[in-house]
Each structure stands twice: as C-alpha cells, then as structure tokens.
Amino acid sequence: MKKPLISVIVPVYNAEPFLSRCVDSLLSQTLQDIEVVLVDDGSTDSSKVLCEQYSANDNRVRVVSQHNRGVAMARQAGIDAACGAYSIHVDPDDWVERTMLEEMYAKAVEEDADMVICDFMVDFADRNYVASQKVGKCEPNDCLTRMMYGKIHGSLCNKLIRTDLYDRYKIRFFDGINYCEDYLTCVQLFIKGVKISYIPKPFYHYDQVVNNNSATRRYTKETLQTQFRFFGKLCEILDGRQKKALSHVVSVIAFDSYYNDIFSSAEFSVIFGRFRKDFLKSGFKLKRRIALFLAASGLMKCARKVHK
C-alpha cells in the first residue's frame, strides 16, 4: 500500500466529550493523503468505541490500544505505528484549521525541512489570541534557546516533523515523564541540528475550556514532582549545554509553585533554596527575579511585597 504523506497522532484518554471535534477537523483537511492514528491509552469512558467507529467509517483512521501508560507512551505508540513521511501530534481536546496539513507539508517539501513550525490560537470561552512563535532565523541551537525562554512553544502539536528522524537519531519519549514530554522531544531534535522552517499562521487551536481535567490546567504538589522529573531529564539531555537557559527553565517551575501558593514559606525555601542564584539569572523581569530569590531564602512575606 502507498504510504500516506502525513501521520497525525492523537493520544486519547477519556476524551469522549470532545474527541469528535478533533478527529472531524483532521478528516476534513484539504490534504487528504493522511492517516490519523488514534492511540487509546486505556480509556475508561467510551473513547475507544468512538475511535473504532471512526476507523470503521474511514480507512485513513487506525486505532492503537494499550493499557493506561500515560501520554508519553501513548505518543510513542503513535510514532511506532506511524507510516507517513511526516508526522504531527494533535491533542484530542484541540482542533485544527482545514488547510493546516496541506500548507505545512508544502512548506516542508519546498524547503526540504525536517521540521515545520506554525503559530497557534489559544482559545478561551470569551476570547482568543494568536501565540506567534518567535522562531527567528530557524537555526536549531537558536530555536532551542528560544524555546527554553518561552519564545517558541515546546509542544509537538504545532510542529510537522520528518518521521524517520525518530529512528535515525534514536529519539524516544521517556516512560513516566508525562509533563512536557513533547518539549523533551523537541530538545532532542534541536540538538541534532535538524533543518527548520516556519509558517507565521495560526493553524492549531489550543482549547482552554473543554477539558478541565487537563494536567496543564491544574497545579498540585504532585505537579511539582513531575516538573522536577522533567527538569532532571532535560539537564541530562543537554549535558552541560544551555546553562543560562536552564536557569530560566527552573525559574519558571519555581514561579508556578510560587504563584499557586500551595507550599508554606519554609517548604518553598527547602524545595527551591539551592536554585536561588538561578532565579537571579533568569529571563524574568527584575521584580519577579528578586521575589523568587527572597521566597527561596525563606522570606515569602517579603517576596509577596516585592512582587505585588
């Protein structure tokens, strides 16, 4: 059988209420030579049944089923099954514009790119905005730095990638790291020097409303543990590179904890005390840098006064 041009990987876990909107937006793409790989990660609702219905009705849809292993292993299962020359990940609570795959693939072919990055829309109930990616000159190391400073999003959902790169460079998702698992994949690709192109158009819709259970929309003490697992793996991958940018990444993690205010002053200083100097080197504005330094020094009340 002829291989599709693009494999779209959708990791599915208890996504029944919004999965149809996502899959329908993929099957109505102007580029029809695609496959949609729905990876059911042990859903306990009717998601798997819905996936199988799509597969029965459209031969471009394939279903991969596994016991619940988390989103990282669901993405890996999708990559392992992918047949397309290029691949992209789409989350089941989001949706895409009809010309996304056609335009991104055309750009990849035109410039012989390994990765094509696009902008995306962030959708709220009463407003939305374009998240423009500050890609700059499309040089891999520069893109890595920009991503670590938050100028390029770490998601795979706005990145079309040459599928054989995963095998060529032995890039895999890390079992048990289900926070920023796609960010780590982007890092691995950037340090291999992949050829990057950019389309300044917001094709992807990042929905902030329909999935209240999304791990990216709630913060708990367990969230911090997953963030530190991510950060440890990031440091391991970079192996001494990007030291200044790493100071900013750990500062972002600390600010999440500081902003959500679920640790006492003493707890915060125990957790983040060793990163105080990193906070002063971050890309944050001065008040935030000083506030994090004070909080990590056990002076949370002073930190709150500085950062009003």
Side-chain angles (χ1 to χ4, degrees):
M1 291 180 63
K2 179 177 177 290
K3 291 186 176 181
L5 299 178
I6 296 176
S7 296
V8 185
I9 297 158
V10 184
V12 178
Y13 179 72
N14 290 353
E16 181 185 0
F18 35 79
L19 181 60
S20 290
R21 181 185 64 173
C22 172
V23 179
D24 289 345
S25 76
L26 297 172
L27 297 179
S28 63
Q29 288 290 296
T30 53
L31 179 65
Q32 292 284 295
D33 191 3
I34 67 172
E35 67 169 356
V36 178
V37 183
L38 302 176
V39 183
D40 177 61
D41 187 38
S43 295
T44 57
D45 65 0
S46 297
S47 293
K48 183 177 180 180
V49 173
L50 189 56
C51 290
E52 290 172 342
Q53 288 174 350
Y54 272 107
S55 181
N57 293 328
D58 194 317
N59 61 13
R60 294 175 298 164
V61 180
R62 289 196 288 138
V63 181
V64 176
S65 297
Q66 63 181 29
H67 296 297
N68 181 241
R69 298 185 63 192
V71 66
M73 289 298 94
R75 294 194 193 282
Q76 184 62 55
I79 286 295
D80 290 342
C83 295
Y86 285 82
S87 56
I88 192 168
H89 294 249
V90 174
D91 289 340
D93 49 349
D94 300 330
W95 61 283
V96 303
E97 296 287 341
R98 291 186 70 245
T99 64
M100 183 179 88
L101 298 181
E102 180 180 10
E103 294 195 49
M104 293 185 80
Y105 180 76
K107 185 74 168 178
V109 171
E110 177 189 352
E111 300 189 2
D112 192 28
D114 295 317
M115 175 190 292
V116 178
I117 302 173
C118 71
D119 297 335
F120 59 93
M121 296 291 299
V122 182
D123 295 342
F124 293 90
D126 57 348
R127 62 188 171 88
N128 54 38
Y129 69 86
V130 177
S132 297
Q133 305 298 280
K134 309 297 190 298
V135 174
K137 56 188 177 181
C138 290
E139 191 276 323
N141 194 59
D142 183 61
C143 284
L144 172 59
T145 303
R146 288 171 179 269
M147 185 176 74
M148 293 178 72
Y149 279 102
K151 297 177 189 284
I152 296 175
H153 200 266
S155 171
L156 289 171
C157 296
N158 69 327
K159 298 174 182 69
L160 184 71
I161 296 167
R162 200 185 300 272
T163 306
D164 68 7
L165 296 182
Y166 289 92
D167 284 336
R168 187 189 311 173
Y169 297 130
K170 296 179 171 51
I171 293 172
R172 296 185 64 82
F173 293 86
F174 298 101
D175 196 358
I177 299 183
N178 296 308
Y179 169 86
C180 287
E181 74 289 338
D182 41 2
Y183 185 114
L184 293 175
T185 298
C186 291
V187 171
Q188 293 176 84
L189 287 164
F190 287 145
I191 65 177
K192 292 299 183 181
V194 297
K195 186 176 181 182
I196 301 164
S197 295
Y198 169 55
I199 300 180
K201 292 183 179 181
F203 296 122
Y204 191 91
H205 287 261
Y206 183 31
D207 192 304
Q208 297 292 295
V209 180
V210 299
N211 187 8
N212 291 326
N213 292 320
S214 171
T216 60
R217 294 170 208 168
R218 64 185 189 276
Y219 191 94
T220 66
K221 290 183 178 181
E222 288 70 32
T223 302
L224 181 61
Q225 294 176 5
T226 65
Q227 288 177 322
F228 272 136
R229 284 198 294 272
F230 151 75
F231 184 68
K233 185 58 70 173
L234 177 63
C235 292
E236 180 184 320
I237 293 169
L238 290 174
D239 190 25
R241 290 166 286 196
Q242 296 282 346
K243 289 183 179 179
K244 187 174 180 181
L246 280 169
S247 292
H248 182 74
V249 173
V250 76
S251 298
V252 171
I253 292 172
F255 187 74
D256 268 357
S257 178
Y258 170 85
Y259 178 82
N260 285 281
D261 196 22
I262 62 172
F263 294 104
S264 69
S265 179
E267 287 174 327
F268 192 93
S269 64
V270 168
I271 295 167
F272 291 106
R274 63 194 172 106
F275 296 111
R276 286 180 298 175
K277 291 182 179 179
D278 290 286
F279 300 155
L280 295 178
K281 298 179 210 172
S282 78
F284 287 145
K285 291 183 178 179
L286 182 59
K287 278 190 176 182
R288 185 176 292 186
R289 280 185 279 150
I290 293 173
L292 285 176
F293 180 85
L294 291 171
S297 302
L299 302 170
M300 185 65 78
K301 286 185 179 179
C302 293
R304 299 289 184 196
K305 288 179 181 179
V306 168
H307 185 255
K308 292 181 180 178

